[in-house]
Amino acid sequence: MTAVYIHIPFCEHICYYCDFNKVFLEGQPVDRYVDLLIKEMEMKTEGKSLDTVETVFVGGGTPTTLNESQIERLSESVHRIFPLSKNVEFSFEANPGDLSVSKLKAMKRSGVNRISMGVQSFNNELLKKIGRIHTVKDVYQSIHNMEEVGFENVSIDLIFSLPGQTEADFKDTLHQALTLDLPHYSAYSLIIEPKTIFYNLMQKGQLILPTQDAEANMYAFLMNEMERHGKKQYEISNFAKEGFQSRHNIVYWSNEHYFGFGAGAHGYLSDTRYSNFGPLKQYMTPLEENQLPVFQTKDLTLKEEMEEEMFLGLRKVSGVSKARFFEKFGQELDTTFKEAIQVTSEKGWLENTKENVKLTKAGRFLGNNVFREFL
């Protein structure tokens, strides 16, 4: 299975927690960037016999900062360059407030069939505190517009354990989110990353975060409520109605191959991981000179591939299939990771069945501790 990731680095506003590759939209050469992005796709695929592409994901940044003609130009190029599956999952990330009816119609015309919207919270005060510029009203308006245009495959992102967030507040956000009865939800615990505004505040002792116990309670509540509302957990942070799991993200967690295009994008092809230059000028200049903008590549050893299979695959609730592991690497999973499986099983974090190894419910709270054992 092959997937395509496309990165749009432009944002109208920088959120305080975000460490993704992004730049302020104002004054940026957006049209030229789209031209060069299309050129990169053409150069990277030229003369290659391509597998059918099952999923396309346009992420960012904020892809919906593109105007209608830019969205259509980019999407038409994807259809022209790649052999897309008849039932391709074509996702666009979006911000509430960016989704006008006319922009949604442009996406629909372009073959986009899934929208992933960064909501984060249903509390206007908290949204302001984390640097978001949308309001709860914008969320409802965007959902209404998507329904009007006929988008059915819709996901929203939430973040919990935010500065100043109480358990009661998160319960209220979750209640409002679930009332929408959407097919897919992602909910992440806040991680403070270097080079973010929150990281600088934390260094100065100016960031008050919920306790670890409060964070664990929020996660437990999240899992129970999702289950109760018929949204099945299929990955540590992801929940969906049957048939609406993010096929694109499953490519990542299943350690399968994907193209990465755009400034700072990562790809994984033929056992080589690669990343593009992040700064806009450094990304665009090589393409102006008919060269690919690859910043670095890494050829994985068999050992590294097997480790990645484990720490990515264990994120899925179904875990890592022993038959698939043997098929890919010619080794028995139980033998290769005997010690790690023993240690994590004894702690009650891992379940080792005949078919697979997977996190227990307790293990889902401590995923990173489990993954470390396999490295």
Side-chain angles (χ1 to χ4, degrees):
M1 179 160 159
T2 306
V4 170
Y5 174 78
I6 297 169
H7 191 76
I8 306 296
F10 309 110
C11 287
E12 285 178 32
H13 184 78
I14 305 297
C15 304
Y16 302 163
Y17 53 83
C18 178
D19 76 327
F20 293 130
N21 191 48
K22 75 271 176 194
V23 290
F24 279 117
L25 175 66
E26 204 174 316
Q28 297 295 349
V30 183
D31 267 319
R32 189 66 190 134
Y33 179 81
V34 172
D35 287 342
L36 291 171
L37 191 48
I38 294 165
K39 185 174 180 177
E40 185 196 359
M41 292 192 282
E42 289 169 341
M43 285 175 67
K44 191 90 180 171
T45 56
E46 198 178 355
K48 289 194 174 75
S49 105
L50 298 173
D51 290 338
T52 303
V53 169
E54 298 288 341
T55 79
V56 177
F57 192 99
V58 185
T62 313
T64 43
T65 52
L66 297 183
N67 64 31
E68 287 151 38
S69 73
Q70 289 159 349
I71 288 170
E72 290 185 326
R73 192 150 47 94
L74 179 62
S75 303
E76 279 160 12
S77 301
V78 170
H79 283 272
R80 173 173 56 81
I81 295 165
F82 296 98
L84 300 185
S85 154
K86 280 204 291 284
N87 66 338
V88 67
E89 176 192 271
F90 195 153
S91 305
F92 240 82
E93 273 186 340
N95 270 353
D98 285 347
L99 291 171
S100 64
V101 167
S102 62
K103 194 172 276 193
L104 284 162
K105 282 181 174 169
M107 287 185 194
K108 193 89 169 158
R109 281 195 301 274
S110 304
V112 176
N113 54 22
R114 182 177 185 272
I115 306 246
S116 175
M117 189 164 67
V119 171
Q120 319 317 2
S121 171
F122 279 82
N123 175 327
N124 282 332
E125 282 303 303
L126 263 184
L127 286 169
K128 240 185 259 170
K129 270 190 196 169
I130 63 176
R132 299 294 282 176
I133 51 173
H134 73 264
T135 64
V136 175
K137 190 179 166 194
D138 294 326
V139 175
Y140 286 113
Q141 185 60 54
S142 296
I143 297 279
H144 173 75
N145 291 354
M146 283 188 267
E147 282 172 358
E148 188 181 318
V149 175
F151 277 98
E152 290 170 7
N153 196 350
V154 175
S155 174
I156 63 173
D157 284 5
L158 302 171
I159 303 180
F160 61 94
S161 200
L162 294 166
Q165 187 176 41
T166 62
E167 289 177 48
D169 173 81
F170 179 62
K171 286 178 180 180
D172 183 60
T173 271
L174 202 53
H175 170 72
Q176 291 188 63
L178 285 165
T179 302
L180 294 168
D181 193 27
L182 298 171
H184 191 283
Y185 294 86
S186 301
Y188 305 94
S189 158
L190 177 70
I191 296 170
I192 307 293
E193 302 283 6
K195 297 183 186 166
T196 61
I197 294 167
F198 273 169
Y199 183 81
N200 296 338
L201 289 172
M202 190 173 77
Q203 296 297 85
K204 295 175 188 163
Q206 292 171 2
L207 195 69
I208 311 299
L209 294 167
T211 63
Q212 275 186 319
D213 283 351
E215 183 182 326
N217 290 344
M218 289 180 205
Y219 186 49
F221 184 75
L222 168 73
M223 287 197 283
N224 292 338
E225 283 301 283
M226 287 289 175
E227 182 77 24
R228 207 164 69 78
H229 285 80
K231 315 293 184 263
K232 197 167 166 50
Q233 185 172 20
Y234 68 100
E235 189 268 351
I236 286 178
S237 305
N238 285 271
F239 308 81
K241 289 180 185 174
E242 195 46 58
F244 286 93
Q245 294 86 346
S246 165
R247 284 160 51 204
H248 186 82
N249 284 339
I250 289 170
V251 169
Y252 298 152
W253 304 318
S254 302
N255 202 20
E256 291 178 12
H257 293 133
Y258 56 94
F259 288 94
F261 299 107
H266 293 247
Y268 179 38
L269 299 170
S270 309
D271 309 326
T272 300
R273 291 202 177 271
Y274 67 90
S275 57
N276 283 346
F277 285 104
L280 218 51
K281 192 168 171 16
Q282 283 179 268
Y283 167 76
M284 292 169 78
T285 302
L287 286 163
E288 304 271 15
E289 296 162 2
N290 296 318
Q291 292 173 341
L292 284 169
V294 175
F295 166 60
Q296 61 183 17
T297 60
K298 178 171 172 45
D299 295 329
L300 299 182
T301 63
L302 178 65
K303 181 174 181 287
E304 286 168 334
E305 282 185 55
M306 292 191 297
E307 287 175 352
E308 289 193 356
E309 187 80 10
M310 297 309 294
F311 74 73
L312 291 166
L314 284 171
R315 292 191 63 90
K316 296 181 293 184
V317 169
S318 61
V320 178
S321 153
K322 293 181 179 180
R324 176 106 175 97
F325 188 91
F326 185 78
E327 191 186 310
K328 277 177 95 167
F329 306 113
Q331 297 191 23
E332 298 289 352
L333 196 159
D334 283 298
T335 314
T336 307
F337 290 106
K338 185 180 174 185
E339 197 178 318
I341 290 170
Q342 194 178 336
V343 168
T344 49
S345 298
E346 281 170 4
K347 289 181 172 164
W349 297 344
L350 201 74
E351 186 184 342
N352 185 13
T353 72
K354 210 170 97 188
E355 286 81 33
N356 54 19
V357 290
K358 55 187 180 180
L359 295 178
T360 60
K361 203 161 182 183
R364 288 178 217 166
F365 287 84
L366 299 156
N368 288 339
N369 298 35
V370 181
F371 308 150
R372 270 197 293 274
E373 295 292 336
F374 288 87
L375 296 177

